[in-house]
Amino acid sequence: ETGGGAAAILRPGARRKLLLTIDDDPAVRELIAEFLKHDAIVIAADNGIDGLHAIRTQKPDLVLLDVAMPGMRGMTLLETMQNDAALRHVPVVMLSAHRRGADVAQAVMSGALGYVIKPFDPGVMAARIRALLAHLDTTILIADDDESIRDLLWHKFRAAGVNVLQAADGAAALALVQEHRPQLILIDWMMPGLDGMALLRKIKESPDTQATKAVMLTVRRQEQDVLDGFRLHAEDYIVKPFMPEEVVARCFRLLGLTAGANQ
């Protein structure tokens, strides 16, 4: 830290994640820095105003943000970030001694990935942050014409630190796959226009996109349906209705990721 404000440490040429802690408690800042020093470049700010400046100038990969600080409070800073198109994509985990359900809900609704209650076990906290940092380079596409399903899975995957794209039809999904090259796509079979099986076939037949892992997520449960999905090289097949935690776990297993970030 420098002068009680944000640390003037720039990201080096090597791609190492940058973690920013914004907390007025020096013990918390020091604890996080010690436990995560081998996993990321750790910088800190002791107030919301300096923290916001650090977010704008240092462009951290992940922010740990205290709720209760003098001056600009954590929730105010989070809402400021969500209202700024240049900042709203920055992942934030809230830190707070308040454990009321309403506080947690407000933080999540305001865009936070997670909410950690103080005092916390440093080892458990570090493991969770390591998992989040490991997931930040992963992108998953959810292709489903049911908005409620897309939103449910979006929240589950975002809570684990994964980047999430959404498409309501097969044509839009194919365009996103070609543009963003997600590591995995969840595909609903019955979508308007280009249906899920046609989308799967196009993805797996193209040398540019065939490496994208595909998971069918559909109400079609007949044995032949499942066989058709695997015949077109889907990596997994999940039948609706589903448990969202199981969907996340199975996708993470395919990607070689741990599910600890959203626990």
Side-chain angles (χ1 to χ4, degrees), residues 74-171:
M75 286 303 303
T76 302
L77 174 51
L78 179 62
E79 290 165 2
T80 299
M81 293 174 63
Q82 290 301 306
N83 290 327
D84 187 329
L87 303 180
R88 67 170 62 111
H89 70 282
V90 178
V92 176
V93 173
M94 304 300 291
L95 308 175
S96 176
H98 300 292
R99 58 180 68 242
R100 294 185 309 164
D103 294 332
V104 177
Q106 182 186 5
V108 173
M109 291 296 292
S110 296
L113 290 187
Y115 194 99
V116 175
I117 304 296
K118 300 178 183 178
F120 50 80
D121 181 303
V124 173
M125 166 70 160
R128 181 177 183 184
I129 299 306
R130 284 189 199 103
L132 283 172
L133 290 169
H135 298 170
L136 292 177
D137 293 328
T138 299
T139 299
I140 288 176
L141 169 59
I142 303 167
D144 198 306
D145 61 339
D146 187 328
E147 184 177 4
S148 63
I149 288 177
R150 295 199 311 272
D151 287 346
L152 173 63
L153 292 174
W154 185 91
H155 284 291
K156 289 294 181 180
F157 281 112
R158 282 302 293 150
V162 172
N163 300 306
V164 185
L165 303 171
Q166 297 187 45
D169 60 73

Side-chain angles (χ1 to χ4, degrees), residues 22-227:
I22 307 174
D23 197 304
D24 62 334
D25 186 339
V28 170
R29 299 195 302 271
E30 291 167 8
L31 195 64
I32 291 171
E34 177 62 26
F35 272 79
L36 291 166
K37 63 184 179 183
H38 299 300
D39 305 286
I41 299 171
V42 184
I43 62 175
D46 61 11
N47 63 83
I49 294 175
D50 285 341
L52 181 59
H53 177 72
I55 294 168
R56 294 188 189 280
T57 58
Q58 303 291 330
K59 297 179 172 54
D61 295 287
L62 179 65
V63 175
L64 304 182
L65 177 59
D66 185 26
V67 170
M69 294 182 292
M72 179 183 284
R73 295 175 59 82
M75 286 303 303
T76 302
L77 174 51
L78 179 62
E79 290 165 2
T80 299
M81 293 174 63
Q82 290 301 306
N83 290 327
D84 187 329
L87 303 180
R88 67 170 62 111
H89 70 282
V90 178
V92 176
V93 173
M94 304 300 291
L95 308 175
S96 176
H98 300 292
R99 58 180 68 242
R100 294 185 309 164
D103 294 332
V104 177
Q106 182 186 5
V108 173
M109 291 296 292
S110 296
L113 290 187
Y115 194 99
V116 175
I117 304 296
K118 300 178 183 178
F120 50 80
D121 181 303
V124 173
M125 166 70 160
R128 181 177 183 184
I129 299 306
R130 284 189 199 103
L132 283 172
L133 290 169
H135 298 170
L136 292 177
D137 293 328
T138 299
T139 299
I140 288 176
L141 169 59
I142 303 167
D144 198 306
D145 61 339
D146 187 328
E147 184 177 4
S148 63
I149 288 177
R150 295 199 311 272
D151 287 346
L152 173 63
L153 292 174
W154 185 91
H155 284 291
K156 289 294 181 180
F157 281 112
R158 282 302 293 150
V162 172
N163 300 306
V164 185
L165 303 171
Q166 297 187 45
D169 60 73
L174 182 60
L176 288 172
V177 170
Q178 293 169 337
E179 179 181 358
H180 295 280
R181 300 290 198 274
Q183 284 82 3
L184 183 144
I185 177 172
L186 282 160
I187 304 176
D188 179 30
W189 188 318
M190 292 178 286
M191 293 186 289
L194 189 70
D195 69 21
M197 293 301 278
L199 171 62
L200 175 61
R201 182 180 292 108
K202 287 181 177 294
I203 290 172
K204 291 302 185 179
E205 287 180 349
S206 170
D208 294 331
T209 59
Q210 63 187 199
T212 298
K213 297 185 185 301
V215 176
M216 297 302 296
L217 187 65
T218 174
V219 296
R220 299 187 64 150
R221 62 182 64 236
Q222 298 300 315
E223 180 180 354
Q224 188 58 51
D225 296 331
V226 179
L227 291 174

